């Protein structure tokens, strides 16, 4: 069984910073791409940033220049450094990853962590 667990959410004032982390554990043979999504109340879940196992990252236009995604392959973790936060960044943030568990390549999601940016 594979699990993704996020941490690092919270309440911050506009202009502040937060760092989210996500750790994958369980039966992991390899991890392909990893990413962060978010869902604000009444809105659809949207991509924030993705990072492949090798290659270029990609970001939503709304966070380019403010957010940075990174991963530590040795620790099976992915992080999201969020700077210059805006009230419109308020959402539940989810990490996901395509993980080879030894039987198949599955898409796994974390439980989500709340980020609230006050104006």
């Amino acid at each position: 069984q594979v699990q993704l667990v996020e941490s690092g959410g919270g309440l911050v004032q506009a202009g502040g910073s937060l760092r989210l982390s996500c750790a994958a554990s369980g039966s992991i043979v390899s991890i392909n791409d990893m990413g962060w999504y978010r869902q604000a109340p009444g809105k659809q879940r949207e991509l924030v940033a993705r990072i492949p196992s090798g290659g270029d990252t990609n970001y939503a236009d709304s966070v380019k220049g403010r957010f940075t995604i990174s991963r530590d392959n040795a620790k099976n973790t992915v992080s999201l450094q969020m700077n210059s936060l805006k009230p419109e960044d308020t959402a539940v943030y989810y990490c996901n990853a395509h993980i080879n568990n030894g039987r198949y390549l599955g898409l796994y999601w974390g439980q989500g962590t709340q980020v609230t940016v006050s104006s």
Side-chain angles (χ1 to χ4, degrees), residues 68-115:
T68 302
I69 189 171
S70 60
R71 63 189 285 174
D72 184 331
N73 292 328
K75 296 181 179 180
N76 292 334
T77 59
V78 61
S79 298
L80 185 69
Q81 178 65 42
M82 305 185 294
N83 298 328
S84 302
L85 282 160
K86 305 175 181 180
E88 50 264 43
D89 294 317
T90 295
V92 178
Y93 284 70
Y94 300 88
C95 70
N96 79 352
H98 284 93
I99 296 175
N100 181 345
N101 62 19
R103 293 177 293 138
Y104 58 86
L105 182 67
L107 176 61
Y108 295 89
W109 289 88
Q111 82 286 355
T113 186
Q114 177 71 46
V115 171

Side-chain angles (χ1 to χ4, degrees), residues 18-58:
L18 281 175
R19 184 176 180 86
L20 306 182
S21 295
C22 174
S25 62
S27 301
I28 298 171
V29 173
S30 61
I31 302 178
N32 292 2
D33 57 313
M34 306 182 81
W36 288 94
Y37 286 71
R38 67 186 180 187
Q39 187 166 18
K43 294 188 177 181
Q44 288 190 331
R45 192 172 296 189
E46 63 176 2
L47 172 70
V48 177
R50 292 208 64 79
I51 183 168
S53 56
D56 293 335
T57 56
N58 66 286

